[in-house]
Amino acid sequence: METKQMYVADLNVVFGKKEEPLIKHIDDIVLPALQSRRYIESSERVGYIFENVQLNEIEESEYIIQGILIKDTVLDIMSEYSSDRGLEKTNKHFKSSPYSVFLIYLRNHRMLLVKNQAGSPDIRSFGVALRETVKGYVAQQNIELRFADAKLLPMPKIHIAGIKTAQNVKEALKDVEKISQLTFKFYPLNSEWDYGSVFGQIDRTIRKEIGSKKGKMVFTSPKSKDGVAEIIESTEGLVQSEMKVTYKSDLSISGTKKRGTIRDNEISDVMNIDLVNELDEAYLEIYENGKDIKALEVQPQNNLMYYREFLEKRGK
């Protein structure tokens, strides 16, 4: 049995000006893109590629997209230590391919990502790889469709936000003396505005009504850290949060207290799970672990309509 690190996140993918949800383009865009083996070059020495991506009915009428995200990189070993020779300079290079596995729940667009090791892709890396893979696939297909004078595929807008708990936020704020600014950033949602969240209602009644692609709310000098923690937990990944803070004890050279910014990726919901099987064969184990996570049980009614259509296409 091995212990692995697991991330919980909300995956927001919408397509085109109508902001159609991910589930409406599973068959014509999302799955073909993730199965296309498109290599995403993140930097000169780092690339990402999706492997073994498939649609899986993991339980009766419970469909997920599962697969592997591989980080293709090179490790540089510039020094080595041994007890007999001490520290020695060296110049060695080793190819490395750490990976993570993921499960995307189609009924609510929540997801789990489990890292195999310390250098494996995290939620931020997954977001970059997914965005570039799907956009690149759509752009390539549209070249062919335009040549054939056919209807073009809609371009995606992709955002991934880690789902946070009040406990995670309080831990991130334990050394903070003052929050000077709390910001919530809005982006197109997977038809989740009907879930009942106040933030989802803002997305529907304000951002969409005025025709804005993005939006944000800013609160200055909130006094209650516990209140901030509860509000961030209630966002359920539907918005991105950011806090400008002043820390208690760290002093700069000038004598002023250290200031900083705490972003979503620093307070995302990360937990450890124990797995019996090898990670790339442990999808069912990971799914069973997810049954205890409240955020994965969310079922937006508006998205449920699309999910029923998806099931009907598969004879369910």
Side-chain angles (χ1 to χ4, degrees):
M1 183 174 292
E2 286 191 79
T3 300
K4 303 293 184 181
Q5 195 175 58
M6 182 169 74
Y7 293 76
V8 183
D10 186 79
L11 174 61
N12 276 292
V13 182
V14 295
F15 290 90
K17 293 181 179 180
K18 295 181 179 179
E19 298 181 356
E20 295 175 318
L22 175 150
I23 198 167
K24 292 198 72 173
H25 290 283
I26 291 294
D27 297 314
D28 63 339
I29 297 178
V30 180
L31 270 178
L34 294 181
Q35 294 171 341
S36 66
R37 295 182 55 81
R38 177 178 294 271
Y39 187 86
I40 303 302
E41 190 170 316
S42 176
S43 67
E44 186 178 341
R45 299 169 70 87
V46 178
Y48 295 97
I49 187 168
F50 287 98
E51 285 276 352
N52 299 334
V53 177
Q54 57 185 291
L55 186 68
N56 180 17
E57 187 179 14
I58 201 160
E59 280 190 347
E60 178 66 27
S61 297
E62 177 74 272
Y63 281 87
I64 64 169
I65 296 176
Q66 65 182 46
I68 300 171
L69 175 60
I70 300 169
K71 179 181 179 181
D72 182 41
T73 187
V74 175
L75 299 179
D76 298 323
I77 309 299
M78 308 307 294
S79 60
E80 291 180 329
Y81 175 81
S82 64
S83 57
D84 54 337
R85 294 190 301 271
L87 185 65
E88 293 183 314
K89 292 182 180 179
T90 186
N91 188 19
K92 298 179 181 179
H93 310 281
F94 298 96
K95 186 174 176 60
S96 179
S97 301
Y99 71 92
S100 297
V101 305
F102 62 90
L103 286 70
I104 299 172
Y105 294 67
L106 295 187
R107 62 181 168 82
N108 58 15
H109 302 130
R110 299 295 161 93
M111 68 169 289
L112 297 174
L113 181 139
V114 183
K115 296 173 64 173
N116 187 52
Q117 63 187 75
S120 296
D122 58 11
I123 284 293
R124 181 182 293 184
S125 301
F126 181 88
V128 171
L130 180 67
R131 186 178 303 112
E132 296 306 314
T133 297
V134 178
K135 281 188 174 182
Y137 176 82
V138 170
Q140 182 181 34
Q141 292 299 306
N142 281 346
I143 291 174
E144 300 175 13
L145 291 170
R146 192 175 287 108
F147 183 77
D149 198 26
K151 183 180 179 181
L152 302 183
L153 297 175
M155 289 298 292
K157 300 170 189 170
I158 299 174
H159 298 272
I160 298 180
I163 295 176
K164 301 158 285 293
T165 67
Q167 182 178 355
N168 296 138
V169 180
K170 289 175 183 177
E171 179 66 21
L173 293 173
K174 68 180 181 180
D175 294 322
V176 168
E177 181 179 89
K178 176 185 176 183
I179 304 172
S180 58
Q181 183 174 291
L182 171 63
T183 302
F184 294 114
K185 298 179 181 180
F186 300 85
Y187 42 81
L189 303 176
N190 286 310
S191 304
E192 295 188 47
W193 47 261
D194 65 335
Y195 166 50
S197 164
V198 63
F199 297 97
Q201 290 294 332
I202 289 171
D203 178 75
R204 178 177 68 89
T205 60
I206 299 179
R207 186 192 66 79
K208 281 190 173 182
E209 185 68 22
I210 65 177
S212 175
K213 293 183 178 180
K214 298 180 181 179
K216 66 180 180 180
M217 294 175 64
V218 179
F219 298 90
T220 57
S221 301
K223 305 300 183 193
S224 171
K225 288 196 287 186
D226 286 348
V228 168
E230 296 295 335
I231 283 292
I232 290 178
E233 180 180 43
S234 73
T235 65
E236 288 284 357
L238 298 181
V239 302
Q240 291 180 334
S241 57
E242 181 179 289
M243 293 176 283
K244 295 187 183 299
V245 302
T246 302
Y247 290 94
K248 293 176 182 176
S249 56
D250 290 333
L251 300 179
S252 66
I253 296 175
S254 65
T256 58
K257 291 187 176 181
K258 180 183 174 183
R259 298 182 180 182
T261 301
I262 300 176
R263 297 181 174 86
D264 259 0
N265 64 299
E266 299 172 58
I267 51 177
S268 296
D269 191 2
V270 183
M271 62 191 70
N272 291 325
I273 61 170
D274 294 322
L275 299 176
V276 175
N277 294 307
E278 291 293 325
L279 180 59
D280 58 348
E281 299 174 351
Y283 295 105
L284 184 57
E285 274 189 88
I286 296 169
Y287 175 78
E288 292 295 332
N289 272 274
K291 288 183 176 180
D292 295 328
I293 301 173
K294 183 179 178 181
L296 296 178
E297 296 304 313
V298 169
Q299 182 60 77
Q301 290 302 310
N302 203 45
N303 191 67
L304 184 59
M305 175 182 66
Y306 294 119
Y307 190 62
R308 284 172 178 160
E309 292 176 1
F310 168 84
L311 292 177
E312 287 174 4
K313 287 182 180 179
R314 283 159 174 78
K316 296 292 180 178

